[in-house]
Amino acid sequence: MIDLNTDEIFNWPWVYAVEVGHWDLTDAQVKMMREYFERGGFLMVDDFHGTYEWQVFVASMNRIFPDRPIVEIGDADPIFHVLYDLGKRVQVPGLQYVYSGKLYEKDGIVPHWRGIYDDKGRLMVTMCFNQDDGDAWEHADNPQYPEQFTSQAYRLGINYIIYSMTH
Amino acid sequence: MFEFLFKYPPAVYSRGHYVLAGPWPWWVLVALVLIAAVGLYWNARRRWTLMSNLRAAAIWGLQTALIALLLLLLWRPAISVATLRPQQNIVAVLLDSSRSMAIADEDGHSRFDAASRLLKDGLIDSLGRRFQMRLYRFGDDAHRVDTAHLYNPPDSPVTRIARSLQDIAAESASLPFGAVVLLSDGAENAGGIDFDTIQRLRQTRIPVHTVGFGKEKLSRDIEVEDFSVPQRTLAGSRIEARIALRQSGLTGETARVTIRDGDNVLAAQNVNLTSEAIAVPLIFNAGAAGALNLIARVDPLPGEENTANNALARVVNVSAHKPRILYVEGEPRWEYKFMRRAADDDPQIELVSMLRTTPNKIYRQGVRDQSELADGFPTKPEELFAYDGLIIGSVEASWFTPAQQDMIREFAGRRGGGVLFLGGRFGLSEGGWGATPVAEMLPVRLPAAGATFQRVYSNTELAPAGMDSALCRLDDDPQKNVERWKKMPEIANWQLVGDPKPGAALLAEIIPPGHRKSPLLVTEPYGRGRTAVLATGGMWRWQMRSDHTDKTLPTFWRQMLRWLSNDTPGTVVAATPRQVLQDEDRLPLRVEVRDKNYQPLGSAVVQAHFVGPDGLSETLRLQPAGSEAGVYTADWSVPKAGAYLAEVTASVNGAEVGRDVLTFRRNDGVAENFRTTQNRDLLEKLSQQTGGRYYNARDARHLADEISYSEAGVTSREMLDLWDLPVVLLLALGLRAAEWLLRRKWGVV
């Protein structure tokens, strides 16, 4: 766990954040996050769903990068091919899928793989929206959780890490 | 005094052979001396009761020495010496007529006036009485003059003593030269007398007697003695320059040294003049591609006697060539990312990388097309040697075949590239590199594997050699650069790499808390190329722990990438010893030609096309140098002052092998401004090596007497008696007097 009220984040060039549909960054944290990205840091956000949580996430993200758009990452982007070819992907649900049989939560029916690029065309922030790759990693050993979601989640996470170590 | 005591000049004793001219054999002399010694000993034994052993031995020794001396004189000692026959030999008098002879440091008169006065006031007459004389003025070469023109004011822009003496040696083939008298300040502009000239003179056996003029040291002067920069570099690179200063009378003062390109000051430094010779290292950026016309200058100091020697020019060819560097990494890690980013931001560098993401997968970046490195690390020399630099990251030696390991070694040794080894979990000792042929090329002696890779937060600092290295220069100011290294964020992983090898340069060190320092960055020349070890994969923290505006890490990596590739030669390399010809018209050109495997290519057609001022265009074919395979040489006569460009091409059977470009300048009217003090060392060595003698203006009047003793020209051998030397008489009297005085003192008369 990294405390954004310290400068610990600068020791970690790759950071994973979950449930960012509930975050509310202070001005100091916004400034620190922007500095983090400008130094070369990489953020993967995950496990946030539906219109409301997106709006909450974007509200803080826009304060970090008011000048950079959030875009869909194209299938041909190197981040989907750096180790595993993930041109075709499926929505990865959280553990709730085991109980509800639903792939989505709230009104987040359509999965998105979005990101923010820097001036050189390198991804700094990636968003697994309407998905929960973290649950797929966490419950990889749960026989009730489908293996195909775990496999993709692992491959996606590894690709994101290797991408951030090479771009 | 010498001649009073010894009757003949010193030259007789240094050139003659000693003989005994008496009628009896030498062994009789030895026998008589022994008999006399024994007789005197027997006589002395009888008196030893009157004095101590030591005193008796002293008396016996003096008596024996006197008898031996007198017996020696009976055998008529003499010296056999060759002398020039009167009026049958020619003495060449060479008067330096270069502009430096106009310097007025001979008691208010110019050096040329002092030399003229010496000649007019008796030397020419005394020489003329014994020999035929040929008078020469010399500067660029020697030309014969009559007396009326000998004393014309000095006007030659250069001094070429060697070339002038070669002219005389050539004439000596048909003329009986007995000696050369050379009057000069020794301000030779070609840098010295070459070995060939000395050999030629020794073969002719003509002694060169030198007469030196001018002060040996100016009272207040500073001179730019040398200005060394690489002949070529890549655009945007840092250039390491070294300016050699020599000063007299200015110790304790401060001088400002600058390097300029036109009016643009590229580097400047204030230098405390603490000693006579000072080397000033300066580092500056080469800027865009093109020819850099550099001037190294010392601002004139108050009261300086000669300010025309305060600047030197050099040309640097800044190349637009975009080197390609291959980076092999055995595991994904953050250093890879930040190195790639630094290279991607540099338009002058192409970093081609292959990253082992799994044991079976390689991720390639920076490749020209999908076929490049598709089969992994190159297996043929021509594929690997197509790159200009090579980086081996955290990857085991066993990942490469033995043939590939040999190629890595040859990449530096034969191809002339730069190879960098990085520390890491699988790198260096942990990767088993110490047991491979590659260990030979490393600048460190690798320790045995086992816990050499450390994960300990540690600071870094420059080692003394790193302070003057362009590779480690993060700030233009040398002192700030040292401080900056100390203040950089800690690195959190590093590797023990052992001690630097002899000849390696330790540039930076790791300071682990509580432990002794360990090498961080070590470099070494290897074969035609160079190698380096950077014992960490954790420099990335410099970027993540510093403000995003701080460009220290990308600067460091860009400098490293340039260091790896900057001096990497192509298949054709053209070079000349001097890219700025100071009043010289001869450009020696040396071209090295190699094939794709970088083996010497001896069957090429090599041509140089010169383009110069006023539309000059000329082509010259170079010839193979017999002593070195793949080397072609030629001398080109540079017709006039100005800037020149030579494009050199090499081809085999009409197919071009490679090409290179060389820029150079000829500057006229500047050489005589330098080394304006009398170069006594050079004149002394010249006379010593040819059997002559160095004179200053005062004792040159004896020259005519001493010059007669020479092996050159038309000679006769004379036998000069030594028995009647005044010094012999004095010695005999001295021995007798010493015995008498001792006896008086000891009371045994």
Side-chain angles (χ1 to χ4, degrees):
Chain A
M1 291 284 284
I2 293 170
D3 182 355
L4 273 187
N5 296 314
T6 69
D7 65 356
E8 176 65 12
I9 193 170
F10 297 116
N11 288 326
W12 305 96
W14 190 90
V15 168
Y16 173 68
V18 289
E19 299 194 11
V20 288
H22 303 286
W23 72 352
D24 183 15
L25 302 181
T26 65
D27 287 346
Q29 289 168 339
V30 163
K31 194 177 168 192
M32 184 176 286
M33 285 303 294
R34 180 164 181 128
E35 176 68 18
Y36 172 75
F37 294 124
E38 287 181 334
R39 291 184 190 183
F42 185 97
L43 174 67
M44 173 183 176
V45 297
D46 183 35
D47 190 13
F48 64 124
H49 311 265
T51 310
Y52 174 74
E53 289 187 7
W54 176 256
Q55 286 170 349
V56 171
F57 166 73
V58 168
S60 281
M61 203 69 235
N62 280 346
R63 287 165 63 208
I64 297 170
F65 282 128
D67 49 344
R68 294 188 186 279
I70 297 172
V71 297
E72 296 289 342
I73 304 171
D75 288 345
D77 194 288
I79 201 164
F80 294 133
H81 306 279
V82 63
L83 178 59
Y84 299 106
D85 281 322
L86 299 172
K88 290 181 180 173
R89 298 170 303 281
V90 296
Q91 188 173 23
V92 175
L95 183 64
Q96 56 80 25
Y97 173 81
V98 173
Y99 310 110
S100 68
K102 286 200 303 183
L103 286 170
Y104 63 93
E105 295 175 43
K106 299 172 186 166
D107 63 342
I109 298 168
V110 181
H112 293 277
W113 293 267
R114 289 172 174 162
I116 297 175
Y117 288 89
D118 70 8
D119 293 338
K120 305 273 170 56
R122 299 175 297 219
L123 280 162
M124 297 183 287
V125 187
T126 57
M127 304 142 202
C128 295
F129 177 49
N130 292 337
Q131 302 172 74
D132 193 347
D133 290 274
D135 265 13
W137 301 337
E138 186 180 349
H139 301 288
D141 60 347
N142 184 342
Q144 293 172 297
Y145 189 81
E147 184 275 338
Q148 63 156 329
F149 297 138
T150 294
S151 293
Q152 180 180 299
Y154 269 123
R155 288 174 182 175
L156 191 83
I158 290 168
N159 264 25
Y160 279 20
I161 292 170
I162 292 183
Y163 176 91
S164 77
M165 296 176 105
T166 52
H167 289 79
Chain B
M1 177 60 92
F2 185 89
E3 285 188 41
F4 169 75
L5 291 173
F6 291 89
K7 197 173 150 189
Y8 311 113
V12 170
Y13 294 93
S14 61
R15 299 206 188 97
H17 303 288
Y18 294 90
V19 293
L20 294 173
W24 310 293
W26 62 270
W27 58 266
V28 177
L29 170 63
V30 175
L32 287 176
V33 170
L34 287 174
I35 290 167
V38 170
L40 288 168
Y41 177 76
W42 177 79
N43 184 47
R45 284 279 294 179
R46 292 189 303 150
R47 296 165 179 264
W48 276 8
T49 50
L50 300 175
M51 53 186 152
S52 70
N53 285 351
L54 191 64
R55 290 177 179 184
I59 298 295
W60 171 76
L62 288 168
Q63 290 173 340
T64 304
L66 181 60
I67 292 293
L69 176 64
L70 296 174
L71 285 169
L72 176 66
L73 295 182
L74 290 174
W75 259 253
R76 208 185 140 205
I79 192 161
S80 167
V81 64
T83 55
L84 298 172
R85 288 193 184 168
Q87 298 306 330
Q88 291 186 23
N89 288 283
I90 298 172
V91 168
V93 176
L94 276 76
L95 178 59
D96 186 345
S97 59
S98 65
R99 289 211 312 261
S100 64
M101 289 292 282
I103 295 173
D105 61 351
E106 285 279 350
D107 299 328
H109 298 281
S110 74
R111 299 168 183 181
F112 191 82
D113 287 346
S116 303
R117 211 167 50 239
L118 175 70
L119 291 170
K120 286 178 190 168
D121 291 356
L123 186 58
I124 283 204
D125 289 344
S126 58
L127 287 170
R129 280 195 290 274
R130 293 174 168 85
F131 314 105
Q132 299 174 45
M133 265 198 306
R134 285 169 84 91
L135 305 176
Y136 298 83
R137 283 166 65 94
F138 77 94
D140 193 27
D141 53 15
H143 54 277
R144 197 175 167 203
V145 291
D146 54 28
T147 318
H149 294 95
L150 181 64
Y151 305 113
N152 286 349
D155 53 2
S156 173
V158 285
T159 309
R160 305 249 184 271
I161 295 175
R163 190 185 287 184
S164 304
L165 288 173
Q166 280 189 344
D167 292 345
I168 301 300
E171 286 187 35
S172 74
S174 55
L175 293 169
F177 277 103
V180 170
V181 177
L182 184 133
L183 299 94
S184 173
D185 55 12
E188 160 71 42
N189 299 132
I193 312 288
D194 57 284
F195 181 73
D196 287 346
T197 303
I198 295 293
Q199 279 296 95
R200 184 86 194 273
L201 289 166
R202 288 167 79 108
Q203 282 164 5
T204 60
R205 306 176 80 180
I206 303 173
V208 178
H209 300 275
T210 54
V211 186
F213 294 90
K215 279 187 194 171
E216 290 171 37
K217 196 179 270 189
L218 295 182
S219 53
R220 275 181 74 80
D221 185 57
I222 185 162
E223 174 172 312
V224 179
E225 217 177 29
D226 192 22
F227 174 28
S228 62
V229 282
Q231 291 193 356
R232 66 189 73 213
T233 192
L234 295 175
S237 297
R238 280 184 191 265
I239 294 180
E240 281 182 64
R242 187 166 286 271
I243 301 167
L245 303 176
R246 183 166 290 278
Q247 62 88 13
S248 55
L250 297 170
T251 303
E253 297 188 30
T254 301
R256 181 178 156 79
V257 181
T258 56
I259 296 177
R260 298 164 192 262
D261 178 26
D263 294 332
N264 186 20
V265 177
L266 301 173
Q269 190 174 320
N270 288 330
V271 179
N272 292 324
L273 305 175
T274 52
S275 59
E276 258 187 29
I278 298 162
V280 184
L282 283 175
I283 295 175
F284 57 94
N285 198 293
L292 268 181
N293 287 295
L294 301 174
I295 305 281
R297 184 186 304 280
V298 184
D299 291 353
L301 290 163
E304 207 182 324
E305 287 182 61
N306 177 13
T307 55
N309 61 2
N310 285 31
L312 262 184
R314 292 289 180 267
V315 179
V316 176
N317 191 13
V318 182
S319 164
H321 170 64
K322 197 170 178 180
R324 304 191 83 223
I325 297 166
L326 175 60
Y327 174 22
V328 187
E329 185 51 80
E331 58 176 334
R333 53 183 187 159
W334 297 113
E335 201 66 60
Y336 178 98
K337 165 192 183 138
F338 289 100
M339 193 200 302
R340 275 226 63 88
R341 285 189 164 204
D344 290 345
D345 290 345
D346 189 336
Q348 278 304 125
I349 297 280
E350 263 187 63
L351 183 65
V352 182
S353 55
M354 43 190 301
L355 167 65
R356 184 174 61 180
T357 49
T358 75
N360 304 309
K361 281 194 173 178
I362 299 292
Y363 183 60
R364 293 169 292 150
Q365 286 175 282
V367 290
R368 282 185 176 157
D369 55 53
Q370 282 310 306
S371 65
E372 186 174 1
L373 301 170
D375 298 325
F377 191 80
T379 53
K380 295 178 184 169
E382 67 259 34
E383 290 170 1
L384 181 62
F385 293 177
Y387 298 97
D388 299 279
L390 179 62
I391 301 172
I392 307 288
S394 178
V395 55
E396 313 86 345
S398 59
W399 194 71
F400 301 90
T401 66
Q404 286 172 327
Q405 292 173 8
D406 279 339
M407 275 165 43
I408 291 171
R409 191 163 50 91
E410 290 295 332
F411 185 85
R414 191 168 86 221
R415 194 259 180 270
V419 184
L420 168 67
F421 292 84
L422 297 175
R425 288 193 305 157
F426 309 126
L428 300 168
S429 294
E430 301 302 318
W433 288 98
T436 69
V438 174
E440 178 194 308
M441 75 187 294
L442 295 175
V444 289
R445 296 189 196 286
L446 287 184
T452 61
F453 187 68
Q454 312 273 322
R455 292 191 187 277
V456 179
Y457 279 93
S458 302
N459 282 309
T460 54
E461 71 172 11
L462 282 178
M467 295 175 192
D468 294 333
S469 164
L471 173 55
C472 298
R473 189 55 70 92
L474 306 175
D475 193 298
D476 286 339
D477 183 279
Q479 195 51 44
K480 286 181 183 168
N481 185 51
V482 173
E483 295 304 317
R484 192 153 165 190
W485 269 83
K486 284 182 180 166
K487 288 177 183 166
M488 289 315 292
E490 292 174 312
I491 57 173
N493 72 61
W494 47 270
Q495 193 161 9
L496 293 166
V497 294
D499 293 325
K501 289 179 182 171
L506 172 64
L507 302 183
E509 294 178 289
I510 301 156
I511 316 170
H515 292 86
R516 73 183 185 99
K517 293 176 188 174
S518 182
L520 171 67
L521 178 58
V522 189
T523 62
E524 185 183 43
Y526 179 79
R528 298 176 77 221
R530 65 223 82 89
T531 61
V533 161
L534 180 66
T536 183
M539 301 289 281
W540 61 269
R541 284 175 194 272
W542 282 15
Q543 180 66 50
M544 288 304 292
R545 300 293 309 177
S546 303
D547 190 88
H548 75 276
T549 55
D550 186 321
K551 300 301 177 194
T552 302
L553 184 68
T555 302
F556 174 78
W557 274 121
R558 282 200 282 271
Q559 285 173 185
M560 176 61 84
L561 296 173
R562 280 180 154 73
W563 181 86
L564 286 170
S565 55
N566 211 351
D567 295 331
T568 303
T571 49
V572 174
V573 179
T576 179
R578 290 179 293 279
Q579 277 188 290
V580 175
L581 305 170
Q582 309 266 54
D583 294 279
E584 282 183 81
D585 60 359
R586 195 178 68 88
L587 179 85
L589 194 59
R590 182 184 191 274
V591 177
E592 202 172 331
V593 182
R594 299 206 168 208
D595 63 15
K596 283 182 181 175
N597 291 321
Y598 281 80
Q599 298 286 7
L601 196 57
S603 58
V605 174
V606 183
Q607 289 188 318
H609 181 68
F610 296 94
V611 180
D614 303 330
L616 181 141
S617 175
E618 200 174 316
T619 301
L620 176 74
R621 180 159 176 182
L622 287 83
Q623 299 302 319
S627 54
E628 286 181 275
V631 173
Y632 301 77
T633 57
D635 278 357
W636 188 57
S637 185
V638 185
K640 61 177 84 166
Y644 291 81
L645 181 145
E647 185 166 36
V648 179
T649 56
S651 55
V652 175
N653 299 327
E656 188 174 302
V657 176
R659 61 176 56 214
D660 196 14
V661 171
L662 186 72
T663 50
F664 59 95
R665 291 187 64 83
R666 174 177 162 182
N667 291 339
D668 285 357
V670 290
E672 284 291 302
N673 298 328
F674 291 84
R675 296 175 192 93
T676 51
T677 52
Q678 183 192 151
N679 191 344
R680 180 170 173 163
D681 274 356
L682 181 136
L683 296 174
E684 279 186 337
K685 279 180 188 157
L686 172 62
S687 51
Q688 276 168 14
Q689 288 173 343
T690 56
R693 193 186 148 195
Y694 169 84
Y695 299 84
N696 59 36
R698 281 186 305 282
D699 41 63
R701 55 197 164 85
H702 303 299
L703 199 152
D705 300 329
E706 298 193 12
I707 211 170
S708 301
Y709 305 102
S710 168
E711 300 276 349
V714 182
T715 62
S716 58
R717 193 154 282 280
E718 279 188 36
M719 194 73 81
L720 306 175
D721 278 328
L722 298 177
W723 66 267
D724 55 351
L725 299 184
V727 73
V728 173
L729 179 63
L730 289 174
L731 181 60
L733 291 173
L735 289 168
R736 194 70 189 139
E739 184 194 344
W740 182 77
L741 284 170
L742 290 175
R743 283 175 180 277
R744 289 272 300 174
K745 188 176 177 186
W746 296 332
V748 289
V749 179

